[in-house]
């Protein structure tokens, strides 16, 4: 994502505001005051619409339209580089590199609200928009027409002298060695998303708290390679052999000496099939007919494919072939050599790993014990499928989505069914599940105002936190331990269950299983429809991403996003993640997508 370490060695300061606040007017008034103080200023402005600084009919315009991807036009007073970017808008950090920073003291940025770098928030009450500072830790000061309760420096939006002085001091205090901290200058207290909802946690904070409390399974066992799919390696693996064992032919053809390429014809002295060998040294003028995978004969280091050969009795010619020394030969140990590290402990075994273990001659793999997960659903309205639907009930879908996701992770599952809203019953099942399994998952009953049975049961059994995660869907989440066993109380809504599982349970299970080399895949995609979110929470919309004709990823939503609409998960191939500092994503802007393939 944004790597601020590569940013220019210059102070960078933005103005964050909703349109209508008067960013440009303010900047226009500030610039002469700043330049008067001796600062040399560059401005980066982001425009949502398509703009053109050129004029139809001008030479530069004509040359651009004729195909100049970059058009540099220069005169005595200025020069302008116009760069066409039909595929995608240039990246913020790339744009910063376009400045001639030797000739600047400060870069001011107008727009780019969603990108992390220090900003002053501009706010006018009459515009009627929410504040940004409480959800954006990049805001280091406020210029507004009203006061707020915040530790950030505050100025009047109409007091240009104070704003100027703030900027001058900011530029003066800029410390080039702390470039990587630019988004969080030490003089500004970090305001985090928490301040949005005092009892709430951001997604990352929730993930960190959970992962910190999970300890990896230690017990290991040996399983047959064919049964090892999805298991996690308990030890490093080192190759005991060379793969391939011998230098061999990559083609069906003829082996000759690399120092003997120019003969009119060669005498075919032997024919070698895979699994056999020709043990004599090949001589000048000789060829050995050889099959793919057969060891090349001594000195026979070059193979010409059969399609380029004309064999006549015991003689072969290569009339059309352009022969390079060493061609079509695979070297011994080319894939893996003796003693080479192959896998580290914590690697999850999938199809290629199964094949590689076998190719090293291993019939078994040392793996960590399977993680056993106990699950149940709660709620008097929840009914098991397979029986006629009762009045006022819904079929239990959560247990089945959870079972699917647990199967995908290679867990052993203990299904305790549906537990009625009865405190005694719930306490019993929770307690025995905690003793019998490595993790307990339930769904339903953790939202505010629910019948409190599971909460009462949990209070009795362990230290469970009831969190409000600043995310949608999936705000309520209970997490803690019962008898040292991690417990998750997932929300009841079917989509919230899946999104919470993906964000919190899956990373926890992978850590419990001992997998060390995993991070979820994320990518950037261009939004083809406007996406709404709310500041202060992470929004996970269900999306469908695909590649457009320019080879870029595009994403749309699956439509209705209610957290009870499980069909949206079925139609989606990704979650669209909109960070807490963003409220709306416009068409054409970039968003983060989390592919779901292989995860649900
Ligand atoms: P709760 O958090 O228990 O109030 O549940 C929130 C919503 O999710 C309610 O509409 C429940 O009926 C629904 N719900 C709870 N458990 C399940 C389940 N196992 N399967 C499907 N929907 C559920
Ligand atoms: Mg319920």
């Amino acid at each position: 994502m944004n790597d601020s370490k590569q940013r220019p060695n210059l102070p960078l300061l933005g103005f964050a505001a909703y349109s209508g606040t008067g960013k440009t007017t303010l900047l226009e008034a500030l610039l002469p005051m700043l330049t008067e103080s001796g600062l040399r200023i560059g401005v980066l402005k982001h425009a949502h619409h398509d703009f053109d600084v050129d004029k139809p009919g001008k030479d530069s315009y004509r040359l651009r339209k004729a195909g100049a991807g970059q058009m540099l036009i220069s005169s005595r007073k200025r020069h302008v580089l116009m760069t066409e970017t039909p595929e995608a808008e240039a990246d913020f950090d790339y744009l910063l590199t376009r400045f001639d920073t030797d000739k600047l003291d400060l870069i001011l940025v107008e727009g780019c609200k969603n990108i992390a770098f220090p900003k002053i928030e501009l706010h006018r009450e009459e515009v009627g928009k929410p504040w940004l500072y409480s959800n954006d830790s990049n805001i280091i000061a406020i210029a507004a027409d009203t006061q707020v309760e915040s530790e950030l420096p505050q100025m009047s939006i109409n007091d240009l002298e104070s704003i100027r002085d703030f900027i001058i001091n900011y530029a003066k205090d800029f410390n080039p060695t702390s470039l990587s901290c630019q988004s969080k200058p030490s003089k500004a207290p970090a305001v985090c998303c928490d301040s949005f909802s005092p009892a709430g946690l951001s997604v990352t904070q929730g993930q960190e708290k959970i992962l910190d409390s999970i300890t990896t399974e230690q017990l290991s066992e040996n399983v047959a390679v064919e049964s090892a799919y999805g298991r996690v390696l308990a030890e490093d693996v080192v190759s005991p052999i060379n793969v391939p064992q011998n230098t061999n032919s990559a083609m069906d053809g003829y082996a000759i000496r690399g120092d003997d390429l120019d003969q009119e014809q060669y005498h075919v002295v032997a024919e070698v099939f895979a699994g056999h060998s020709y043990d004599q040294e090949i001589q000048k003028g000789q060829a050995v007919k050889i099959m793919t995978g057969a060891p090349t004969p001594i000195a026979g280091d070059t193979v010409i494919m059969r399609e380029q050969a004309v064999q006549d009795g015991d003689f072969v010619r290569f009339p059309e072939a352009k022969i390079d020394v060493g061609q079509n030969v695979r070297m011994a140990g080319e894939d893996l050599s003796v003693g080479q590290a192959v896998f580290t402990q914590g690697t999850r075994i999938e199809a290629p790993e199964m094949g590689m273990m076998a190719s090293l001659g291993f019939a078994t793999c040392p793996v960590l014990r399977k993680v056993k997960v106990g699950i149940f659903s709660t709620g008097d309205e929840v009914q098991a499928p397979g029986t006629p639907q009762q009045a006022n009930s819904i079929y239990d879908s959560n247990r089945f989505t959870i079972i699917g996701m647990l199967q995908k992770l290679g867990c052993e599952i203990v299904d305790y069914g549906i537990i009625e809203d009865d405190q005694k019953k719930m306490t019993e099942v929770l307690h025995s599940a905690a003793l019998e399994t490595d993790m307990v998952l339930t769904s339903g009953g953790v939202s505010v105002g629910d019948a409190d049975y599971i909460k009462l049961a949990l209070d009795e059994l362990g230290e469970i936190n009831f969190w409000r995660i600043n995310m949608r869907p999936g705000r309520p989440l209970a997490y803690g331990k019962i008898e040292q066993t991690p417990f998750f109380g997932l929300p009841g809504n079917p989509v919230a269950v899946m999104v919470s599982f993906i964000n919190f349970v899956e990373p926890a299970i992978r850590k419990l299983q001992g997998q060390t080399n995993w991070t979820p895949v994320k990518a950037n995609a261009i939004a083809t429809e406007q996406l709404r979110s709310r500041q202060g929470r992470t929004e996970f919309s269900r999306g469908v991403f695909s590649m457009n004709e320019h080879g870029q990823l595009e994403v749309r939503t699956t439509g209705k996003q209610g957290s009870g609409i499980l069909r949206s998960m079925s139609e989606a191939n990704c979650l669209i993640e909109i960070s807490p500092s963003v409220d709306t994503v416009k068409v054409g802007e970039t968003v983060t997508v989390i592919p779901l393939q292989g995860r649900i």
Side-chain angles (χ1 to χ4, degrees), residues 379 381 445 450:
E381 81 281 24
D450 240 312

Side-chain angles (χ1 to χ4, degrees), residues 83-91 94-95 526 548 550-553 588 590:
T83 306
E84 305 300 312
T85 54
E87 290 87 31
E89 181 169 346
D91 177 71
Y94 169 77
L95 289 172
I526 298 165
N548 68 17
H550 301 297
Q552 304 162 307
L553 293 184
T590 297

Side-chain angles (χ1 to χ4, degrees), residues 25 60 124 147 163 213 234 244 257 262 321 486 490 545 572:
T25 311
S60 56
R124 286 187 201 276
Q147 291 266 323
I163 302 175
S213 79
R257 295 176 66 104
D262 299 322
L490 300 175
F545 74 106

